[in-house]
Amino acid sequence: MRRLHILPFLLLACCACTNDLDFEYRLMPRELLLSSQLRSNAGTHTVFAAMGDARRIQSADGLQITCYVNGARIADAVPGEYESVSTPVYLNASVPQQSVYRFDATFAPGDRITLQVSGADGALLATGETVFTGQPELSAVDTVSIITPGRWQPDNVTREFRVDVSLRDSAGEDNWYMVEAAMLFDAVLHGPGKADLPVREEEYLRIIAGDDPILSDGVILSNEELFGTISSNQYNCFSDRLFKDATGTFSFKLDPNSVNGKNYVPRRMREGYNSATVRPRLEIRVEGISQLEYNYLRALGIQTMGSFFNDVVEPSSLPDNIDGASGFIGTLTTACRAFELPVIELDYSWYYE
């Protein structure tokens, strides 16, 4: 486990306590960096790879990446193209200097996953191993449109979209979870002189957890005059400690303009297409994750939130589950509830003419 400077988000300190670290960032050696987020509900999976040191990262081309499930070899990754759409979890997934590798596989709860990474000469460089947890059990997922008075001007109301989730915890064990919200768009693009083009695209939505005790995982930072109520839980991961062996209910809000799909524009619209028929779908996902991944996500979240308060510094540890390289292989075991939304007809002919 590597020790890194990570900046926790603290609002209370009159003076900061500092600890000396034996890690010198400037002396960080050049090494292989790997990250991947494997999902039980996905058929294609992505591995990001780079060579990096304290100053920069570069692509890591020519690698051989093999996936094993419960000891059996099931897939070899092939180079893929970088996509500008970042994932909601791993910050370095949006860095285009990385190399992208993809492979097809189907995973189930309890599967033990091993990724072996070799160089162009076949020499083994790194090995990462992780296990898919059990699938979360959703009791109910409800949605409602609400109106919230303004903080300073109550007459100035804001329309918000609230989601209430009831989750039944698996008895007799400790469990960790993460919640996501995403819009899926099944669109058919139309254009003059062109055949209709079906596309499927996905957009992750920002979850506004507020002061929900489960989603804040018991840590809420509140200063009503300056910031309102803020949770440092950047990636909405939480443990079962507040509803262990029982059913827990938590709530969060979404921007209604993101949920209605009216701001959606297909990425290939400019390729000679000027209109589209879109079938939007809202998906609320609760993911089962390991304790190690929970610690990893919390550390990343603290680092992100703390970057605004550089004068208040405490060290923390960033988990690592790869031998021979630095990085993290995560697994998400998904339970999902989907809400079909009204069909949208988009017409951009006036814009592209």
Side-chain angles (χ1 to χ4, degrees), residues 170-209:
S170 298
E173 58 184 357
D174 295 328
N175 297 288
W176 293 267
Y177 306 96
M178 183 176 72
V179 62
E180 295 177 331
M183 289 295 299
L184 271 68
F185 300 99
D186 285 304
V188 179
L189 308 188
H190 316 293
K194 298 179 71 69
D196 287 350
L197 177 66
V199 297
R200 168 171 285 189
E201 295 178 345
E202 182 177 36
E203 293 181 0
Y204 287 94
L205 306 182
R206 176 176 173 264
I207 287 177
I208 306 170

Side-chain angles (χ1 to χ4, degrees), residues 19-299:
N19 295 330
D20 293 332
L21 298 181
D22 56 7
F23 178 81
E24 286 289 342
Y25 181 72
R26 291 173 296 178
L27 301 179
M28 176 180 173
R30 183 171 175 80
E31 62 181 336
L32 179 63
L33 309 174
L34 298 169
S35 67
S36 184
Q37 186 183 44
L38 309 177
R39 294 173 174 266
S40 66
N41 65 334
T44 300
H45 310 274
T46 302
V47 180
F48 296 93
M51 296 298 299
D53 55 25
R55 294 177 177 83
R56 63 175 180 173
I57 68 170
Q58 293 177 315
S59 59
D61 300 326
L63 298 179
Q64 302 176 41
I65 301 178
T66 304
C67 176
Y68 295 82
V69 177
N70 301 323
R73 181 174 182 169
I74 63 164
D76 294 308
V78 297
E81 294 182 359
Y82 173 78
E83 296 179 357
S84 60
V85 181
S86 63
T87 68
V89 173
Y90 298 103
L91 300 179
N92 60 356
S94 61
V95 179
Q97 289 83 1
Q98 296 180 112
S99 295
V100 176
Y101 298 87
R102 291 191 172 92
F103 64 92
D104 294 334
T106 301
F107 302 124
D111 281 347
R112 177 172 52 86
I113 311 302
T114 303
L115 293 184
Q116 288 189 352
V117 182
S118 303
D121 58 357
L124 181 64
L125 301 177
T127 301
E129 187 168 291
T130 186
V131 177
F132 276 89
T133 67
Q135 186 176 43
E137 185 177 352
L138 293 177
S139 300
V141 178
D142 299 312
T143 63
V144 62
S145 180
I146 62 176
I147 296 177
T148 304
R151 180 182 301 275
W152 309 114
Q153 298 178 331
D155 293 336
N156 186 12
V157 300
T158 301
R159 295 187 180 274
E160 297 176 300
F161 190 87
R162 193 182 75 193
V163 180
D164 301 319
V165 179
S166 293
L167 174 65
R168 184 177 293 112
D169 186 52
S170 298
E173 58 184 357
D174 295 328
N175 297 288
W176 293 267
Y177 306 96
M178 183 176 72
V179 62
E180 295 177 331
M183 289 295 299
L184 271 68
F185 300 99
D186 285 304
V188 179
L189 308 188
H190 316 293
K194 298 179 71 69
D196 287 350
L197 177 66
V199 297
R200 168 171 285 189
E201 295 178 345
E202 182 177 36
E203 293 181 0
Y204 287 94
L205 306 182
R206 176 176 173 264
I207 287 177
I208 306 170
D211 57 358
D212 185 275
I214 291 180
L215 288 186
S216 66
D217 216 11
V219 180
I220 299 174
L221 307 172
S222 183
N223 185 314
E224 293 297 326
E225 292 183 358
L226 295 178
F227 305 105
T229 300
I230 300 173
S231 169
S232 63
N233 194 2
Q234 183 80 355
Y235 297 110
N236 302 299
C237 53
F238 55 95
S239 68
D240 63 352
R241 66 186 182 89
L242 295 181
F243 59 103
K244 190 170 183 60
D245 299 340
T247 296
T249 299
F250 57 88
S251 300
F252 58 87
K253 299 174 183 176
L254 302 172
D255 181 354
N257 292 323
S258 300
V259 175
N260 61 29
K262 294 181 179 179
N263 294 331
Y264 167 69
V265 179
R267 301 185 189 104
R268 299 191 62 178
M269 182 67 80
R270 294 184 179 181
E271 300 177 12
Y273 301 95
N274 58 15
S275 63
T277 301
V278 182
R279 296 182 180 276
R281 181 170 77 251
L282 170 65
E283 287 193 356
I284 305 300
R285 305 166 183 165
V286 176
E287 322 277 3
I289 61 177
S290 67
Q291 182 180 15
L292 186 64
E293 185 163 9
Y294 167 85
N295 294 336
Y296 177 78
L297 296 176
R298 288 306 302 251

